[in-house]
């Protein structure tokens, strides 16, 4: 018998929390986020939107961070280059201050339950929805003849989130269509088989869109030229910033600029305290500082913030067994929860 509710997904979730509180059960919100492994590690866009988003939530939420290696094979790749890469994002999360006593770090391929749930959810969703998603269209144009895995990518992502009944997902802006799609999957499942999942909300912070240093779109792992990586040393950071594109109106130092047109200013806003940021913006508009001065201030701020992260990173790289231990513990924590959701879903879908 399928029950329907007059409340929308968010209202239902709030109501479930209220019922929990009325019964003295303190329900903590469940946070989930994922990150693809890559050889160069995280760039500052990943760091600002996903990693810092997690740091802000680890006090208040149950948090799961997942290295999504099954997503990384949906486009052509080298098996040799992928092997061992799952340690890099986990190392960088831990270096950045993610506390393994409070946060669960896990590798997607350690939990085949994610893939089984993805199959079950995939049997529910109409094909055109998947074909319309912008990342599918972009990657199809970039890599040619798309594989089934690329089309199914958002289903696996929905499964990652839903298998832990997560309600909070810190991501960058590029992932918003996938979160919206996940909400559709949740609604479809709940309407068809009865109340099971909360509708997750994306959590964006001020680093949710970090532009490429080339001035061309967002910083991205596939376009290494415009990136600053979390592991870059001070000299590399200064060099990359010195070559970065700024407001085209500032051809000469004496030309006034408009900070909101400048990719460097957008990055400044994520690293520089407000008072200093206001000075930089004022100096740019009145041409009292040049682009090189502005970049030097940003480099100093960024290098200061990244230095302790890089020191911890070096320690963890010297002791990979520490990171492996955290990931093994993560899989052990997640497995019973993933299995429990699968059991419930199978039962609701009549496969029990
Ligand atoms: P991925 O690995 O491409 O990126 C990881 C996170 O970094 C964010 N990001 C950015 N944020 C700001 N500015 C940028 N230039 C920038 N580039 C990337 C992404 O938005 C993301 O938050 N499909 C996901 C991984 C995934 C996932 C999930 C995420 C799989 N399952 C479940 C959340 C929940 C991806 O490829 O992220």
């Amino acid at each position: 018998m399928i029950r329907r509710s007059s409340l929308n997904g968010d209202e239902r979730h709030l109501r479930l929390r209220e019922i929990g509180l009325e019964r003295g059960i303190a329900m903590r919100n469940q946070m989930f986020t994922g990150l693809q492994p890559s050889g160069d590690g995280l760039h500052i866009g990943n760091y600002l939107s996903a990693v810092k988003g997690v740091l802000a939530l680890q006090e208040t939420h149950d948090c799961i961070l997942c290295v999504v290696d099954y997503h990384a094979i949906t486009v052509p790749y080298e098996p040799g280059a992928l092997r061992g890469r799952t340690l890099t994002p986990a190392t960088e999360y831990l270096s950045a201050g993610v506390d393994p006593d409070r946060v669960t770090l896990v590798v997607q391929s350690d939990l085949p339950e994610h893939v089984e749930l993805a199959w079950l959810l995939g049997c529910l969703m109409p094909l055109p929805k998947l074909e319309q998603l912008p990342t599918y269209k972009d990657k199809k144009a970039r890599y040619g003849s798309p594989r089934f895995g690329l089309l199914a990518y958002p289903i696996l992502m929905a499964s990652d989130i839903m298998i832990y009944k997560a309600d909070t997902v810190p991501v960058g802006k590029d992932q918003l269509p996938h979160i919206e799609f996940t909400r559709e999957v949740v609604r479809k499942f709940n309407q068809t088989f009865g109340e099971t999942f909360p509708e997750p909300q994306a959590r964006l912070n001020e680093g949710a869109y970090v532009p490429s240093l080339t001035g061309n779109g967002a910083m991205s792992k596939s376009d290494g030229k415009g990136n600053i990586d979390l592991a870059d040393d001070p000299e590399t950071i200064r060099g990359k910033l010195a070559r970065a594109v700024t407001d085209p109106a500032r051809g000469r130092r004496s030309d006034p600029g408009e900070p909101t047109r400048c990719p460097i200013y957008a990055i400044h806003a994520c690293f520089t305290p407000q008072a200093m940021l206001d000075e930089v913006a004022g100096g740019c508009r009145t041409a009292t500082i040049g682009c090189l001065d502005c970049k030097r201030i940003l480099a100093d701020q960024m290098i200061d913030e990244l230095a302790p992260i890089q020191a911890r990173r070096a320690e963890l790289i010297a002791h990979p067994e520490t990171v492996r231990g955290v990931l093994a513990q993560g899989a052990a924590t997640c497995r019973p929860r993933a299995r429990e959701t699968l059991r419930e879903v199978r039962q609701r879908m009549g496969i029990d």
Side-chain angles (χ1 to χ4, degrees):
M1 171 69 175
I2 296 169
R3 284 182 296 106
R4 279 163 208 270
S5 163
S6 58
L7 303 176
N8 72 31
D10 294 335
E11 289 165 345
R12 270 195 309 267
H13 185 61
L14 282 174
R15 183 63 197 127
L16 282 173
R17 288 181 60 75
E18 279 167 16
I19 292 168
L21 289 173
E22 281 160 15
R23 294 183 184 159
I25 307 164
M27 282 172 68
R28 274 169 52 105
N29 288 71
Q30 178 67 54
M31 186 235 92
F32 181 97
T33 198
L35 196 102
Q36 293 195 47
S38 90
D40 301 326
L42 307 190
H43 58 64
I44 56 166
N46 306 134
Y47 163 68
L48 291 167
S49 61
V51 183
K52 277 191 126 177
V54 172
L55 294 181
L57 294 171
Q58 65 182 357
E59 309 289 338
T60 48
H61 288 59
D62 280 335
C63 297
I64 301 176
L65 310 181
C66 188
V67 181
V68 293
D69 47 351
Y70 279 160
H71 278 108
I73 60 172
T74 55
V75 292
Y77 75 102
E78 277 293 325
L82 183 64
R83 197 160 289 126
R85 269 190 188 177
T86 46
L87 279 190
T88 312
T91 303
E92 295 195 323
Y93 263 119
L94 293 170
S95 321
V98 163
D99 176 357
D101 289 334
R102 277 186 294 184
V103 172
T104 304
L105 267 154
V106 70
V107 176
Q108 191 183 34
S109 61
D110 284 342
L111 291 152
E113 290 82 1
H114 287 219
V115 183
E116 185 175 344
L117 180 61
W119 177 260
L120 296 170
L121 299 175
C123 292
L124 202 63
M125 296 309 287
L127 198 53
K129 284 258 171 249
L130 290 160
E131 287 167 333
Q132 281 155 17
L133 284 166
T135 31
Y136 174 70
K137 289 193 197 159
D138 291 351
K139 288 190 179 166
K140 185 176 161 195
R142 194 170 340 137
Y143 296 105
S145 167
R147 295 149 187 211
F148 168 72
L150 186 62
L151 187 66
Y153 181 116
I155 294 274
L156 181 57
M157 187 161 159
S159 164
D160 293 337
I161 297 169
M162 289 167 66
I163 206 158
Y164 304 108
K165 302 197 175 176
D167 51 26
T168 309
V169 189
V171 281
K173 275 195 182 141
D174 62 310
Q175 296 298 318
L176 288 180
H178 291 151
I179 306 299
E180 198 39 57
F181 175 77
T182 303
R183 290 166 64 87
E184 283 182 44
V185 180
V186 165
R187 286 195 291 271
K188 180 94 174 168
F189 189 97
N190 289 347
Q191 278 160 16
T192 313
F193 300 112
E195 277 317 304
T196 311
F197 296 106
E199 271 183 52
Q201 299 274 4
R203 181 73 71 102
L204 299 181
N205 62 16
E206 75 277 5
Y209 177 82
V210 176
S212 164
L213 299 181
T214 61
N216 206 353
M219 206 171 268
S220 94
K221 287 175 195 145
S222 52
D223 168 29
K225 289 198 292 288
N227 290 358
I228 294 181
D229 294 326
L230 209 52
D232 282 344
D233 60 35
E235 203 186 324
T236 307
I237 292 177
R238 289 189 196 282
K240 285 182 174 177
L241 284 176
R243 289 188 296 277
V245 166
T246 56
D247 177 5
R250 297 208 72 183
R252 286 165 302 182
R253 195 186 188 285
S254 52
D255 294 331
E258 175 44 52
T260 51
R261 276 196 306 253
C262 178
I264 290 296
Y265 184 74
I267 303 176
H268 244 305
C270 302
F271 286 95
T272 306
Q274 191 60 48
M276 202 185 277
L277 191 66
D278 292 344
E279 263 179 51
V280 166
C284 173
R285 287 195 178 102
T286 52
T288 45
I289 64 166
C291 291
L292 280 177
D293 304 318
C294 165
K295 288 171 169 181
R296 212 171 295 124
I297 298 169
L298 172 58
D300 290 342
Q301 295 299 316
M302 200 184 279
I303 290 165
D304 272 1
E305 181 164 336
L306 300 189
I309 299 178
Q310 295 179 349
R312 282 194 295 268
R313 184 178 189 273
E315 268 174 50
L316 286 168
I317 287 175
H319 296 284
E321 69 284 359
T322 308
V323 184
R324 284 201 194 95
V326 169
L327 292 172
Q329 178 57 51
T333 306
C334 287
R335 196 163 292 120
R337 294 192 52 190
R339 286 190 178 157
E340 174 51 26
T341 305
L342 256 185
R343 190 202 54 74
E344 187 183 359
V345 168
R346 283 214 202 116
Q347 193 240 324
R348 285 188 183 273
M349 291 181 77
I351 312 173
D352 51 343

